[in-house]
Amino acid sequence: MSSNSAKVEKLDISDRMDPVTFEVLRNSFEYACNRMTTIMQRTSFSPILADILDFSNAIYDPKVRLLAQAANCPVHLAAMQYSADAAISRFPIETLKPGDVIALNDPYQGGTHINDITFTMPVFYEDELLGFAVSRGHWMDLGGGAAGGMSFSTHIAAEGLRLPPIKLYENYEINRDYLAIIMNNTRTPHYIRGDLQAHLGALKSAESELQRAAARYGIDTLKAAMNELIGYTERIVRKSIEAIPDGIYCAEDFADTDGFSLEPIKVKVTLTVSGSDITVDFTGSNPICKGSINSPFANTASAAYYSLQFFLAPHAPSNAGMFAPIKIVLPDNCWLNAKWPAPTIGCTTLASSKITSAIWQALAQAIPERVTGSTCSECNWFVSTAVDKDSGRADVFSDLPAGGWGGTPFNDGMSVTMDPLGNCMNMAAETAELFFPIEYEAFELRQDSAGAGKFRGGLGAVFKVRYLCDGELNMETSRTREGSPGVNGGGRSAVQRSTHLYPDGKELVIGGYSPNGAWTSPLLSGHQFSNEEVFKFESTGGGGWGNPGERAAERVLSDVLDDYISIAAAKETYRVVIDPKTMTVDQTATARLRAA
């Protein structure tokens, strides 16, 4: 078994600095991360960074403990701790100099899936180490058997270029040999130099902010604030855990398939709450998969941390103090503890979301009055080649068609919102159509997609892309066998489905259930599209919260009038009868039906 728990030094009250200085420095650390994010967004070349915002930024203290982070992708942020640890393990602190930047994307050395590259740079002031700036970005393509690395094969080598920790920059100058290797192993070399400059710019901005703080307050004060900040967060998180009843809480969730298995792949989680500590034990989950959805330890731990923080102390400063009260336990031979050569391309987008859903279902047993229904629990990540029919230029585009979040104890869930694993955006239609030979035909709310409940889940979407070229679609999704679960009696959402639409009106389901009941794996690689053919994706909503029979009839009617649910669903799932002629609630029939 493997486990991880960060250790935080505890300070006596007499050691703490005055609160004004503490708050000023705490905000300066957060500002450094936010400035990194602004630079990344404004200077990146690839749309997945500049428009979808699939990147994250953070700073670490001299002991390589997370100090502050921007509100970027949750699934990146805790995982970056392991990347920074791996970088410093390969290049010890005493060997580092200003302008060194260590890059890695190896899933087994602190990485997640190959597309996520992490850059770690030491920050010095007057020859003394202040800490580290860390930037991670999801790069559009790093080779492999299909665009985006989505070959869904059985070996990590099929997913692209795997970088161990390498010193990509020295004295702020790039190693041209390493750059040439990266450029030779991508379908999108035209983005590489610009994206690298964006990451370097982000790192240097954090460097300047930390140096500015050290110059104003002194190195000793700065380091004292770092240590106190981490301890401060730990105290907040521990107090929140103490409010949860001690006990053992278990739950399960499933991935539809690994691309080879006909049976769903199980996530089993056991939460043990004891005083101010939580143990997250994944014993009982499936063994390492043949297919490409395995999750490395860093990704699994990150998913566990952010899933818990939603209901522990979401407003506490985000740093290593969040990790200390949480222990992760993973069997060695488990699909959530991937080892070489297990493929991992779906780890952040598929495995993480199922971990979150399982943890939230377990928490619903402990704090039912606070937990929400599961979200769509999917990233719905697709990557496609696009070959312009006039110029012959080949490119790669990507998007993340969002779904709904779960119903809450107080209101309905949010509709068409990115899963908690990522703080990303959908690709703007205008951007996609400007860069690529495609048209966005639809991105609209999907009726009857939400899980029913006293407070229903948010709705999913119907998403359509028309190819004005020849293209090759790759997609990772799930929730095609059954929708996302509700809590406290709430219902499941609808299933997801991918469909190929042809100009002659023919429709072919290429992921999920066909009208005849046949099911097709939703992990797509190399599916061919031709000019004027359309890719249609129907995302799911979130799970419901509470008994649907307790939802006010007037709210059900409002949903019908807004086309959120159908008249048939109102009767079947909410037991509310609506007269289709007057579009009003039939109070007598509704009362009779709900009393039955």
Side-chain angles (χ1 to χ4, degrees):
M1 309 286 274
S2 56
S3 64
N4 180 76
S5 182
K7 294 182 179 179
V8 175
E9 293 182 14
K10 294 184 178 179
L11 297 180
D12 184 83
I13 187 70
S14 61
D15 295 324
R16 297 176 195 161
M17 64 177 56
D18 72 273
V20 174
T21 303
F22 173 79
E23 279 298 307
V24 169
L25 288 173
R26 179 182 71 81
N27 280 279
S28 73
F29 299 147
E30 293 180 2
Y31 174 74
C33 300
N34 292 333
R35 187 177 169 198
M36 294 173 75
T37 290
T38 299
I39 289 172
M40 280 293 301
Q41 182 175 2
R42 292 182 178 179
T43 62
S44 300
F45 276 37
S46 61
I48 201 166
L49 296 179
D51 295 277
I52 296 179
L53 310 184
D54 197 347
F55 60 78
S56 296
N57 296 290
I59 57 175
Y60 292 72
D61 77 354
K63 299 176 183 178
V64 203
R65 300 178 301 177
L66 176 64
L67 182 63
Q69 61 188 31
N72 298 141
C73 297
V75 74
H76 287 172
L77 289 162
M80 287 161 62
Q81 175 71 65
Y82 300 90
S83 299
D85 288 342
I88 301 310
S89 177
R90 172 66 179 83
F91 298 98
I93 289 174
E94 60 272 15
T95 69
L96 297 176
K97 298 177 182 179
D100 287 347
V101 178
I102 304 164
L104 69 86
N105 70 347
D106 189 339
Y108 320 115
Q109 296 189 66
T112 50
H113 60 188
I114 276 175
N115 299 70
D116 288 339
I117 302 187
T118 305
F119 302 87
T120 300
M121 186 178 83
V123 176
F124 295 90
Y125 179 73
E126 295 181 347
D127 297 325
E128 187 165 346
L129 181 68
L130 294 180
F132 297 87
V134 181
S135 182
R136 169 177 286 192
H138 179 116
W139 283 20
M140 190 77 80
D141 183 87
L142 282 164
M150 299 174 75
S151 61
F152 298 114
S153 187
T154 60
H155 196 289
I156 191 70
E159 297 180 352
L161 179 65
R162 181 165 60 102
L163 297 172
I166 59 172
K167 197 174 285 188
L168 187 59
Y169 288 82
E170 292 187 73
N171 194 28
Y172 308 102
E173 293 294 328
I174 197 163
N175 182 306
R176 296 188 179 278
D177 290 335
Y178 287 147
L179 175 61
I181 291 171
I182 294 171
M183 296 279 284
N184 277 6
N185 283 274
T186 176
R187 294 170 175 82
T188 55
H190 44 287
Y191 296 137
I192 299 300
R193 293 179 187 273
D195 288 347
L196 279 171
Q197 287 299 310
H199 282 290
L200 181 62
L203 296 171
K204 291 177 71 174
S205 72
E207 177 184 55
S208 68
E209 290 300 324
L210 286 175
Q211 290 173 342
R212 187 160 67 97
R216 182 170 184 179
Y217 293 95
I219 294 173
D220 291 342
T221 300
L222 197 68
K223 290 184 176 180
M226 292 175 176
N227 200 56
E228 172 56 15
L229 178 57
I230 294 171
Y232 173 70
T233 290
E234 180 181 351
R235 293 191 293 274
I236 294 174
V237 173
R238 287 194 179 280
K239 187 174 181 180
S240 298
I241 295 173
E242 288 171 354
I244 300 175
D246 285 359
I248 299 174
Y249 310 100
C250 300
E252 298 178 348
D253 210 319
F254 298 86
D256 290 350
T257 180
D258 67 345
F260 296 90
S261 172
L262 296 178
E263 297 297 322
I265 310 299
K266 180 169 65 175
V267 174
K268 181 176 181 180
V269 64
T270 301
L271 301 182
T272 301
V273 181
S274 178
S276 65
D277 294 283
I278 291 181
T279 299
V280 186
D281 190 343
F282 291 97
T283 300
S285 300
N286 273 44
I288 289 177
C289 299
K290 182 178 182 180
S292 301
I293 65 171
N294 298 286
S295 176
F297 185 94
N299 186 76
T300 298
S302 187
Y305 290 137
Y306 78 70
S307 299
L308 289 170
Q309 286 306 322
F310 268 86
F311 301 103
L312 294 181
H315 302 299
S318 298
N319 57 55
M322 301 182 298
F323 309 150
I326 301 169
K327 180 181 180 182
I328 311 295
V329 179
L330 271 165
D332 285 333
N333 182 32
C334 175
W335 75 287
L336 304 178
N337 193 11
K339 304 290 197 303
W340 184 88
T344 66
I345 196 69
C347 70
T348 62
T349 49
L350 184 150
S352 298
S353 60
K354 307 308 177 293
I355 291 168
T356 298
S357 180
I359 287 176
W360 286 11
Q361 290 177 70
L363 283 174
Q365 302 166 34
I367 45 174
E369 73 286 353
R370 291 168 51 194
V371 173
T372 72
S374 291
T375 70
C376 56
S377 300
E378 251 303 333
C379 188
N380 301 322
W381 172 34
F382 82 82
V383 181
S384 181
T385 59
V387 182
D388 188 276
K389 62 179 183 294
D390 296 323
S391 68
R393 182 178 186 270
D395 211 331
V396 177
F397 72 95
S398 182
D399 209 343
L400 311 167
W405 279 42
T408 79
F410 314 104
N411 213 331
D412 299 336
M414 298 181 291
S415 296
V416 194
T417 302
M418 179 69 183
D419 187 80
L421 70 91
N423 222 3
C424 302
M425 305 283 288
N426 291 112
M427 176 80 77
E430 295 82 359
T431 300
E433 293 172 358
L434 176 66
F435 275 86
F436 312 108
I438 57 174
E439 287 181 355
Y440 274 36
E441 285 200 343
F443 193 29
E444 58 197 29
L445 293 175
R446 180 187 175 195
Q447 188 182 60
D448 291 337
S449 57
K454 179 179 179 180
F455 298 110
R456 60 164 173 76
L459 276 70
V462 177
F463 174 82
K464 294 181 182 179
V465 174
R466 180 178 297 275
Y467 283 80
L468 305 178
C469 61
D470 291 332
E472 186 177 273
L473 177 75
N474 314 291
M475 184 162 190
E476 178 280 295
T477 189
S478 57
R479 292 300 195 214
T480 61
R481 292 183 185 268
E482 58 182 6
S484 291
V487 295
N488 302 329
R492 284 187 178 271
S493 61
V495 295
Q496 303 197 134
R497 182 166 50 239
S498 299
T499 308
H500 188 148
L501 307 181
Y502 294 87
D504 63 2
K506 176 185 173 183
E507 298 187 4
L508 175 66
V509 173
I510 54 178
Y513 284 109
S514 299
N516 64 5
W519 179 82
T520 303
S521 171
L523 303 181
L524 299 172
S525 182
H527 185 86
Q528 300 296 314
F529 279 84
S530 297
N531 188 41
E532 294 298 331
E533 295 176 352
V534 174
F535 170 59
K536 175 184 177 183
F537 180 72
E538 298 164 272
S539 70
T540 189
W545 191 98
N547 183 354
E550 297 179 7
R551 186 170 178 84
E554 291 73 19
R555 297 193 71 165
V556 176
L557 174 61
S558 177
D559 283 347
V560 170
L561 293 174
D562 287 333
D563 285 333
Y564 293 169
I565 65 174
S566 62
I567 291 177
K571 182 177 181 180
E572 180 179 347
T573 61
Y574 291 99
R575 296 181 173 273
V576 173
V577 180
I578 295 175
D579 187 324
K581 295 181 179 179
T582 63
M583 294 304 290
T584 59
V585 176
D586 185 328
Q587 299 290 353
T588 302
T590 296
R592 187 185 311 117
L593 187 60
R594 286 191 159 183

